[in-house]
Amino acid sequence: MKPVTLWSRILIPAIAMAWLYSGVHAADDFASRRAGMVKVIAALTADTSTETGRHALDARVMAAMEQVPRHKFVPPEEEPYAYENRPLPIGYGQTISQPYIVALMTDLMRVKPTDVVLEVGTGSGYQAAILATLARAVYTIEIVEPLGRQAQERLQRLAYKQVETRVGDGYYGWEAHAPYDAIVVTAAASHVPPPLMRQLKPGGRMVIPVGAQFLTQYLLLIEKSDDGTVSTQQILPVRFVPLVAH
Ligand code: SAH
C-alpha cells in the first residue's frame, strides 16, 4: 500500500472516528452527570419538603436543569465539579449558586412560557439560561462589569437568544422592560428593594434572599396579588453573596 493511501484511506478516517467518538463520549458523560445532579435535587427537595411545602419541583424546571450545560458556565478548573450540588467560584469573589437552590428558586417563580422575567445578579449567566428555557424573555443585571460581559458573551455563544444582559446596579431594577411577571434576586439584600417591588406585575412573584451577610438569610417568596396587596412567605435559610451598591 502506498504511503498516501495508507494515510488517506486508513489513518485519517481512524483519527476522525476516534475524535468523533471522544466528543460524543464526553457529551454523554456530561449528560449522565447532569441526570445524576437532577436526582440529587429531587432527593433534597423531598428532604426539605417540611420547610418548603414542596415534595417535588415542577417537571418543566427539572427538565431545564437536565438540559442546561452547567459545565459551560464555570471556569475550566471547576468543570470536573460542575454537576456536584454546591456553589462554585466564578471569579471576582462571586459564585454560581448551588443547583438545588437554583432549581428551588426557579420553581418558586412559577414561570410560564409567556412570562417576562428579571434577574438581579447575572454572575455566570447559568440561572438566566435556566429561566430562558422557561420564559419568553429574561432581563438580567450584573454589577461586576467583567462578569456581566463574560456572561453576555457566553449566553450569546450558547444561543440563549431571549436573554438580555446589562451591567449596572440591580437594586433599581430595569425600568425599560417593567413590569415583570417574576423577579429573582441572586444576592442577599438587607431589605426588599422598593424599585423591584414597584416593577413587579400584579399577580407576579419575587424570590429574594434577605438578611445580613454573616447572619441567617432567608429565601423569601413575595407575591403581589391582582389588587396589589403583597404577601411574603419565608421559605428556607440560605447563604448568598451580598447585594452590593455602587
Ligand atoms: N445568578 C448567578 C449567581 C450569582 S452570585 C449565576 O447563576 O451564576 C450573585 C451575583 O450578584 C454576583 O455576580 C454579584 O456580583 C451580583 N451582584 C451583587 N450585587 C449586585 C447588584 N446590586 N446589582 C447587580 N448584581 C449584583
Side-chain angles (χ1 to χ4, degrees), residues 12-55:
I12 291 177
I15 292 166
M17 287 292 286
W19 179 79
L20 266 174
Y21 178 76
S22 70
V24 169
H25 196 69
D28 275 357
D29 190 36
F30 281 124
S32 72
R33 284 200 253 162
R34 205 148 52 235
M37 175 191 84
V38 170
K39 283 206 181 101
V40 170
I41 293 172
L44 269 170
T45 305
D47 283 352
T48 49
S49 62
T50 333
E51 286 111 308
T52 63
R54 276 159 181 73
H55 290 281

mmCIF file of all heavy atoms in Angstrom, residues 12-55:
data_model
loop_
_atom_site.group_PDB
_atom_site.id
_atom_site.type_symbol
_atom_site.label_atom_id
_atom_site.label_comp_id
_atom_site.label_asym_id
_atom_site.label_seq_id
_atom_site.Cartn_x
_atom_site.Cartn_y
_atom_site.Cartn_z
ATOM 1 N N ILE A 12 -6.462 8.744 8.372
ATOM 2 C CA ILE A 12 -7.353 9.910 8.539
ATOM 3 C C ILE A 12 -8.731 9.465 9.052
ATOM 4 O O ILE A 12 -9.221 9.981 10.057
ATOM 5 C CB ILE A 12 -7.448 10.777 7.257
ATOM 6 C CG1 ILE A 12 -6.109 11.471 7.043
ATOM 7 C CG2 ILE A 12 -8.579 11.803 7.359
ATOM 8 C CD1 ILE A 12 -6.011 12.307 5.795
ATOM 9 N N PRO A 13 -9.370 8.452 8.401
ATOM 10 C CA PRO A 13 -10.662 8.002 8.958
ATOM 11 C C PRO A 13 -10.544 7.516 10.401
ATOM 12 O O PRO A 13 -11.431 7.795 11.218
ATOM 13 C CB PRO A 13 -11.065 6.851 8.027
ATOM 14 C CG PRO A 13 -10.315 7.090 6.778
ATOM 15 C CD PRO A 13 -9.030 7.776 7.145
ATOM 16 N N ALA A 14 -9.449 6.829 10.721
ATOM 17 C CA ALA A 14 -9.305 6.305 12.091
ATOM 18 C C ALA A 14 -9.208 7.455 13.095
ATOM 19 O O ALA A 14 -9.855 7.440 14.155
ATOM 20 C CB ALA A 14 -8.075 5.414 12.195
ATOM 21 N N ILE A 15 -8.418 8.468 12.719
ATOM 22 C CA ILE A 15 -8.265 9.622 13.634
ATOM 23 C C ILE A 15 -9.609 10.344 13.774
ATOM 24 O O ILE A 15 -10.034 10.705 14.872
ATOM 25 C CB ILE A 15 -7.153 10.576 13.124
ATOM 26 C CG1 ILE A 15 -5.791 9.880 13.238
ATOM 27 C CG2 ILE A 15 -7.156 11.893 13.906
ATOM 28 C CD1 ILE A 15 -4.674 10.555 12.468
ATOM 29 N N ALA A 16 -10.293 10.493 12.639
ATOM 30 C CA ALA A 16 -11.593 11.187 12.671
ATOM 31 C C ALA A 16 -12.589 10.430 13.544
ATOM 32 O O ALA A 16 -13.305 11.028 14.354
ATOM 33 C CB ALA A 16 -12.141 11.321 11.248
ATOM 34 N N MET A 17 -12.608 9.110 13.406
ATOM 35 C CA MET A 17 -13.522 8.293 14.219
ATOM 36 C C MET A 17 -13.212 8.451 15.710
ATOM 37 O O MET A 17 -14.115 8.619 16.535
ATOM 38 C CB MET A 17 -13.381 6.797 13.860
ATOM 39 C CG MET A 17 -13.982 6.419 12.527
ATOM 40 S SD MET A 17 -15.767 6.541 12.533
ATOM 41 C CE MET A 17 -16.167 5.098 13.502
ATOM 42 N N ALA A 18 -11.918 8.391 16.031
ATOM 43 C CA ALA A 18 -11.511 8.482 17.440
ATOM 44 C C ALA A 18 -11.916 9.834 18.000
ATOM 45 O O ALA A 18 -12.433 9.959 19.114
ATOM 46 C CB ALA A 18 -10.005 8.277 17.564
ATOM 47 N N TRP A 19 -11.711 10.877 17.171
ATOM 48 C CA TRP A 19 -12.022 12.231 17.615
ATOM 49 C C TRP A 19 -13.535 12.392 17.836
ATOM 50 O O TRP A 19 -13.978 12.898 18.851
ATOM 51 C CB TRP A 19 -11.503 13.215 16.563
ATOM 52 C CG TRP A 19 -11.776 14.635 16.899
ATOM 53 C CD1 TRP A 19 -11.087 15.418 17.778
ATOM 54 C CD2 TRP A 19 -12.821 15.450 16.372
ATOM 55 N NE1 TRP A 19 -11.652 16.664 17.832
ATOM 56 C CE2 TRP A 19 -12.715 16.714 16.976
ATOM 57 C CE3 TRP A 19 -13.845 15.237 15.437
ATOM 58 C CZ2 TRP A 19 -13.580 17.751 16.688
ATOM 59 C CZ3 TRP A 19 -14.708 16.277 15.147
ATOM 60 C CH2 TRP A 19 -14.561 17.511 15.771
ATOM 61 N N LEU A 20 -14.284 11.873 16.843
ATOM 62 C CA LEU A 20 -15.745 11.935 16.951
ATOM 63 C C LEU A 20 -16.238 11.182 18.181
ATOM 64 O O LEU A 20 -17.056 11.659 18.948
ATOM 65 C CB LEU A 20 -16.383 11.287 15.715
ATOM 66 C CG LEU A 20 -16.743 12.232 14.592
ATOM 67 C CD1 LEU A 20 -17.225 11.438 13.376
ATOM 68 C CD2 LEU A 20 -17.832 13.207 15.048
ATOM 69 N N TYR A 21 -15.676 9.974 18.369
ATOM 70 C CA TYR A 21 -16.102 9.131 19.482
ATOM 71 C C TYR A 21 -15.829 9.833 20.814
ATOM 72 O O TYR A 21 -16.672 9.869 21.694
ATOM 73 C CB TYR A 21 -15.380 7.785 19.437
ATOM 74 C CG TYR A 21 -15.760 6.904 20.599
ATOM 75 C CD1 TYR A 21 -17.000 6.252 20.616
ATOM 76 C CD2 TYR A 21 -14.919 6.756 21.692
ATOM 77 C CE1 TYR A 21 -17.366 5.468 21.678
ATOM 78 C CE2 TYR A 21 -15.281 5.972 22.768
ATOM 79 C CZ TYR A 21 -16.507 5.324 22.766
ATOM 80 O OH TYR A 21 -16.883 4.570 23.833
ATOM 81 N N SER A 22 -14.625 10.444 20.910
ATOM 82 C CA SER A 22 -14.291 11.085 22.194
ATOM 83 C C SER A 22 -15.257 12.240 22.462
ATOM 84 O O SER A 22 -15.682 12.453 23.586
ATOM 85 C CB SER A 22 -12.841 11.555 22.209
ATOM 86 O OG SER A 22 -12.710 12.650 21.340
ATOM 87 N N GLY A 23 -15.633 12.980 21.403
ATOM 88 C CA GLY A 23 -16.585 14.082 21.565
ATOM 89 C C GLY A 23 -17.943 13.583 22.038
ATOM 90 O O GLY A 23 -18.505 14.075 23.003
ATOM 91 N N VAL A 24 -18.439 12.566 21.371
ATOM 92 C CA VAL A 24 -19.751 12.004 21.710
ATOM 93 C C VAL A 24 -19.707 11.464 23.132
ATOM 94 O O VAL A 24 -20.606 11.681 23.940
ATOM 95 C CB VAL A 24 -20.124 10.868 20.707
ATOM 96 C CG1 VAL A 24 -21.346 10.097 21.196
ATOM 97 C CG2 VAL A 24 -20.375 11.453 19.330
ATOM 98 N N HIS A 25 -18.593 10.791 23.417
ATOM 99 C CA HIS A 25 -18.444 10.172 24.718
ATOM 100 C C HIS A 25 -18.453 11.228 25.831
ATOM 101 O O HIS A 25 -19.140 11.086 26.833
ATOM 102 C CB HIS A 25 -17.139 9.388 24.741
ATOM 103 C CG HIS A 25 -17.080 8.429 25.870
ATOM 104 N ND1 HIS A 25 -17.870 7.330 25.923
ATOM 105 C CD2 HIS A 25 -16.338 8.434 27.002
ATOM 106 C CE1 HIS A 25 -17.628 6.679 27.033
ATOM 107 N NE2 HIS A 25 -16.704 7.329 27.711
ATOM 108 N N ALA A 26 -17.708 12.327 25.596
ATOM 109 C CA ALA A 26 -17.638 13.391 26.611
ATOM 110 C C ALA A 26 -19.022 14.006 26.807
ATOM 111 O O ALA A 26 -19.440 14.246 27.932
ATOM 112 C CB ALA A 26 -16.629 14.448 26.181
ATOM 113 N N ALA A 27 -19.746 14.222 25.695
ATOM 114 C CA ALA A 27 -21.082 14.814 25.800
ATOM 115 C C ALA A 27 -22.003 13.903 26.607
ATOM 116 O O ALA A 27 -22.747 14.339 27.468
ATOM 117 C CB ALA A 27 -21.650 15.049 24.399
ATOM 118 N N ASP A 28 -21.909 12.584 26.332
ATOM 119 C CA ASP A 28 -22.713 11.597 27.071
ATOM 120 C C ASP A 28 -22.381 11.638 28.547
ATOM 121 O O ASP A 28 -23.257 11.535 29.396
ATOM 122 C CB ASP A 28 -22.393 10.180 26.574
ATOM 123 C CG ASP A 28 -23.218 9.855 25.349
ATOM 124 O OD1 ASP A 28 -24.029 10.700 24.973
ATOM 125 O OD2 ASP A 28 -23.009 8.775 24.786
ATOM 126 N N ASP A 29 -21.096 11.775 28.815
ATOM 127 C CA ASP A 29 -20.624 11.775 30.189
ATOM 128 C C ASP A 29 -21.232 12.963 30.952
ATOM 129 O O ASP A 29 -21.731 12.800 32.061
ATOM 130 C CB ASP A 29 -19.101 11.864 30.158
ATOM 131 C CG ASP A 29 -18.519 11.627 31.525
ATOM 132 O OD1 ASP A 29 -19.090 10.793 32.239
ATOM 133 O OD2 ASP A 29 -17.526 12.285 31.873
ATOM 134 N N PHE A 30 -21.220 14.146 30.323
ATOM 135 C CA PHE A 30 -21.803 15.324 30.975
ATOM 136 C C PHE A 30 -23.311 15.141 31.152
ATOM 137 O O PHE A 30 -23.859 15.494 32.192
ATOM 138 C CB PHE A 30 -21.519 16.591 30.173
ATOM 139 C CG PHE A 30 -20.127 17.126 30.385
ATOM 140 C CD1 PHE A 30 -19.270 17.334 29.308
ATOM 141 C CD2 PHE A 30 -19.674 17.428 31.667
ATOM 142 C CE1 PHE A 30 -17.988 17.826 29.511
ATOM 143 C CE2 PHE A 30 -18.394 17.922 31.882
ATOM 144 C CZ PHE A 30 -17.550 18.121 30.795
ATOM 145 N N ALA A 31 -23.970 14.577 30.138
ATOM 146 C CA ALA A 31 -25.428 14.368 30.235
ATOM 147 C C ALA A 31 -25.751 13.414 31.376
ATOM 148 O O ALA A 31 -26.705 13.644 32.123
ATOM 149 C CB ALA A 31 -25.970 13.844 28.911
ATOM 150 N N SER A 32 -24.962 12.371 31.540
ATOM 151 C CA SER A 32 -25.286 11.418 32.607
ATOM 152 C C SER A 32 -24.966 12.026 33.974
ATOM 153 O O SER A 32 -25.672 11.783 34.947
ATOM 154 C CB SER A 32 -24.588 10.071 32.396
ATOM 155 O OG SER A 32 -23.227 10.206 32.653
ATOM 156 N N ARG A 33 -23.916 12.864 34.036
ATOM 157 C CA ARG A 33 -23.639 13.547 35.309
ATOM 158 C C ARG A 33 -24.741 14.542 35.646
ATOM 159 O O ARG A 33 -25.105 14.741 36.801
ATOM 160 C CB ARG A 33 -22.293 14.269 35.231
ATOM 161 C CG ARG A 33 -21.133 13.285 35.352
ATOM 162 C CD ARG A 33 -19.901 14.014 35.752
ATOM 163 N NE ARG A 33 -18.978 14.118 34.650
ATOM 164 C CZ ARG A 33 -17.970 14.985 34.611
ATOM 165 N NH1 ARG A 33 -17.779 15.830 35.594
ATOM 166 N NH2 ARG A 33 -17.155 15.012 33.602
ATOM 167 N N ARG A 34 -25.288 15.162 34.584
ATOM 168 C CA ARG A 34 -26.381 16.121 34.790
ATOM 169 C C ARG A 34 -27.633 15.390 35.297
ATOM 170 O O ARG A 34 -28.331 15.868 36.174
ATOM 171 C CB ARG A 34 -26.671 16.841 33.477
ATOM 172 C CG ARG A 34 -27.287 18.185 33.645
ATOM 173 C CD ARG A 34 -26.887 19.137 32.556
ATOM 174 N NE ARG A 34 -27.110 18.603 31.240
ATOM 175 C CZ ARG A 34 -26.175 18.515 30.297
ATOM 176 N NH1 ARG A 34 -24.958 18.947 30.528
ATOM 177 N NH2 ARG A 34 -26.455 18.007 29.119
ATOM 178 N N ALA A 35 -27.874 14.203 34.752
ATOM 179 C CA ALA A 35 -29.014 13.409 35.215
ATOM 180 C C ALA A 35 -28.823 13.047 36.692
ATOM 181 O O ALA A 35 -29.783 13.055 37.474
ATOM 182 C CB ALA A 35 -29.156 12.156 34.359
ATOM 183 N N GLY A 36 -27.573 12.768 37.074
ATOM 184 C CA GLY A 36 -27.269 12.465 38.481
ATOM 185 C C GLY A 36 -27.558 13.668 39.364
ATOM 186 O O GLY A 36 -28.142 13.543 40.452
ATOM 187 N N MET A 37 -27.180 14.851 38.884
ATOM 188 C CA MET A 37 -27.433 16.094 39.636
ATOM 189 C C MET A 37 -28.939 16.285 39.843
ATOM 190 O O MET A 37 -29.379 16.669 40.937
ATOM 191 C CB MET A 37 -26.837 17.279 38.866
ATOM 192 C CG MET A 37 -27.123 18.638 39.457
ATOM 193 S SD MET A 37 -26.660 20.002 38.346
ATOM 194 C CE MET A 37 -28.130 20.081 37.306
ATOM 195 N N VAL A 38 -29.720 15.997 38.805
ATOM 196 C CA VAL A 38 -31.180 16.160 38.903
ATOM 197 C C VAL A 38 -31.759 15.196 39.948
ATOM 198 O O VAL A 38 -32.654 15.568 40.710
ATOM 199 C CB VAL A 38 -31.838 15.996 37.507
ATOM 200 C CG1 VAL A 38 -33.341 15.909 37.611
ATOM 201 C CG2 VAL A 38 -31.430 17.164 36.608
ATOM 202 N N LYS A 39 -31.179 13.994 40.028
ATOM 203 C CA LYS A 39 -31.635 13.036 41.062
ATOM 204 C C LYS A 39 -31.355 13.578 42.463
ATOM 205 O O LYS A 39 -32.191 13.458 43.364
ATOM 206 C CB LYS A 39 -30.908 11.691 40.888
ATOM 207 C CG LYS A 39 -31.449 10.862 39.758
ATOM 208 C CD LYS A 39 -31.185 9.366 40.014
ATOM 209 C CE LYS A 39 -31.715 8.536 38.870
ATOM 210 N NZ LYS A 39 -30.653 8.114 37.926
ATOM 211 N N VAL A 40 -30.182 14.176 42.631
ATOM 212 C CA VAL A 40 -29.819 14.747 43.936
ATOM 213 C C VAL A 40 -30.789 15.889 44.281
ATOM 214 O O VAL A 40 -31.241 16.006 45.424
ATOM 215 C CB VAL A 40 -28.346 15.241 43.936
ATOM 216 C CG1 VAL A 40 -28.028 16.055 45.174
ATOM 217 C CG2 VAL A 40 -27.399 14.049 43.822
ATOM 218 N N ILE A 41 -31.127 16.707 43.291
ATOM 219 C CA ILE A 41 -32.078 17.815 43.523
ATOM 220 C C ILE A 41 -33.432 17.247 43.968
ATOM 221 O O ILE A 41 -34.043 17.747 44.918
ATOM 222 C CB ILE A 41 -32.238 18.685 42.252
ATOM 223 C CG1 ILE A 41 -30.927 19.412 41.949
ATOM 224 C CG2 ILE A 41 -33.388 19.676 42.401
ATOM 225 C CD1 ILE A 41 -30.900 20.138 40.618
ATOM 226 N N ALA A 42 -33.880 16.173 43.311
ATOM 227 C CA ALA A 42 -35.170 15.559 43.675
ATOM 228 C C ALA A 42 -35.120 15.035 45.112
ATOM 229 O O ALA A 42 -36.071 15.237 45.881
ATOM 230 C CB ALA A 42 -35.494 14.436 42.698
ATOM 231 N N ALA A 43 -34.006 14.409 45.480
ATOM 232 C CA ALA A 43 -33.877 13.858 46.835
ATOM 233 C C ALA A 43 -33.871 14.979 47.872
ATOM 234 O O ALA A 43 -34.545 14.888 48.914
ATOM 235 C CB ALA A 43 -32.606 13.022 46.934
ATOM 236 N N LEU A 44 -33.124 16.056 47.583
ATOM 237 C CA LEU A 44 -33.069 17.193 48.516
ATOM 238 C C LEU A 44 -34.418 17.882 48.649
ATOM 239 O O LEU A 44 -34.780 18.359 49.724
ATOM 240 C CB LEU A 44 -32.036 18.204 48.036
ATOM 241 C CG LEU A 44 -30.629 18.006 48.576
ATOM 242 C CD1 LEU A 44 -29.658 18.920 47.847
ATOM 243 C CD2 LEU A 44 -30.608 18.309 50.082
ATOM 244 N N THR A 45 -35.153 17.939 47.545
ATOM 245 C CA THR A 45 -36.485 18.548 47.574
ATOM 246 C C THR A 45 -37.381 17.760 48.521
ATOM 247 O O THR A 45 -38.105 18.344 49.346
ATOM 248 C CB THR A 45 -37.105 18.572 46.161
ATOM 249 O OG1 THR A 45 -36.197 19.236 45.284
ATOM 250 C CG2 THR A 45 -38.434 19.301 46.151
ATOM 251 N N ALA A 46 -37.308 16.434 48.434
ATOM 252 C CA ALA A 46 -38.102 15.589 49.332
ATOM 253 C C ALA A 46 -37.668 15.805 50.781
ATOM 254 O O ALA A 46 -38.509 15.945 51.681
ATOM 255 C CB ALA A 46 -37.950 14.129 48.923
ATOM 256 N N ASP A 47 -36.336 15.891 51.011
ATOM 257 C CA ASP A 47 -35.804 16.078 52.373
ATOM 258 C C ASP A 47 -36.241 17.396 53.005
ATOM 259 O O ASP A 47 -36.354 17.503 54.215
ATOM 260 C CB ASP A 47 -34.266 16.094 52.347
ATOM 261 C CG ASP A 47 -33.700 14.691 52.205
ATOM 262 O OD1 ASP A 47 -34.496 13.742 52.279
ATOM 263 O OD2 ASP A 47 -32.479 14.568 52.005
ATOM 264 N N THR A 48 -36.398 18.440 52.172
ATOM 265 C CA THR A 48 -36.700 19.765 52.704
ATOM 266 C C THR A 48 -38.190 20.114 52.573
ATOM 267 O O THR A 48 -38.570 21.267 52.769
ATOM 268 C CB THR A 48 -35.871 20.851 51.968
ATOM 269 O OG1 THR A 48 -36.009 20.644 50.558
ATOM 270 C CG2 THR A 48 -34.400 20.793 52.323
ATOM 271 N N SER A 49 -39.003 19.109 52.265
ATOM 272 C CA SER A 49 -40.416 19.399 51.967
ATOM 273 C C SER A 49 -41.162 20.015 53.157
ATOM 274 O O SER A 49 -42.092 20.789 52.963
ATOM 275 C CB SER A 49 -41.131 18.154 51.465
ATOM 276 O OG SER A 49 -41.099 17.166 52.469
ATOM 277 N N THR A 50 -40.744 19.682 54.384
ATOM 278 C CA THR A 50 -41.421 20.262 55.538
ATOM 279 C C THR A 50 -41.240 21.776 55.540
ATOM 280 O O THR A 50 -42.190 22.525 55.808
ATOM 281 C CB THR A 50 -40.836 19.701 56.860
ATOM 282 O OG1 THR A 50 -40.310 18.412 56.603
ATOM 283 C CG2 THR A 50 -41.851 19.676 57.960
ATOM 284 N N GLU A 51 -40.010 22.244 55.228
ATOM 285 C CA GLU A 51 -39.768 23.689 55.203
ATOM 286 C C GLU A 51 -40.392 24.364 53.978
ATOM 287 O O GLU A 51 -40.993 25.424 54.089
ATOM 288 C CB GLU A 51 -38.260 23.997 55.179
ATOM 289 C CG GLU A 51 -37.559 23.761 56.491
ATOM 290 C CD GLU A 51 -36.623 22.575 56.401
ATOM 291 O OE1 GLU A 51 -37.093 21.483 55.963
ATOM 292 O OE2 GLU A 51 -35.456 22.729 56.767
ATOM 293 N N THR A 52 -40.201 23.751 52.808
ATOM 294 C CA THR A 52 -40.586 24.451 51.578
ATOM 295 C C THR A 52 -42.047 24.198 51.189
ATOM 296 O O THR A 52 -42.582 24.933 50.358
ATOM 297 C CB THR A 52 -39.716 23.985 50.392
ATOM 298 O OG1 THR A 52 -39.965 22.591 50.173
ATOM 299 C CG2 THR A 52 -38.239 24.199 50.656
ATOM 300 N N GLY A 53 -42.649 23.147 51.732
ATOM 301 C CA GLY A 53 -44.019 22.802 51.346
ATOM 302 C C GLY A 53 -44.089 22.136 49.978
ATOM 303 O O GLY A 53 -45.150 22.030 49.382
ATOM 304 N N ARG A 54 -42.915 21.714 49.453
ATOM 305 C CA ARG A 54 -42.874 21.082 48.123
ATOM 306 C C ARG A 54 -42.236 19.703 48.195
ATOM 307 O O ARG A 54 -41.091 19.582 48.624
ATOM 308 C CB ARG A 54 -41.973 21.912 47.201
ATOM 309 C CG ARG A 54 -42.650 23.029 46.598
ATOM 310 C CD ARG A 54 -41.743 24.117 46.110
ATOM 311 N NE ARG A 54 -42.600 25.147 45.577
ATOM 312 C CZ ARG A 54 -43.321 25.946 46.358
ATOM 313 N NH1 ARG A 54 -43.253 25.869 47.658
ATOM 314 N NH2 ARG A 54 -44.118 26.845 45.812
ATOM 315 N N HIS A 55 -42.979 18.680 47.748
ATOM 316 C CA HIS A 55 -42.407 17.325 47.730
ATOM 317 C C HIS A 55 -41.618 17.103 46.454
ATOM 318 O O HIS A 55 -40.698 16.310 46.407
ATOM 319 C CB HIS A 55 -43.513 16.276 47.847
ATOM 320 C CG HIS A 55 -44.132 16.277 49.202
ATOM 321 N ND1 HIS A 55 -43.527 15.671 50.278
ATOM 322 C CD2 HIS A 55 -45.259 16.855 49.669
ATOM 323 C CE1 HIS A 55 -44.279 15.863 51.345
ATOM 324 N NE2 HIS A 55 -45.331 16.593 51.006
#
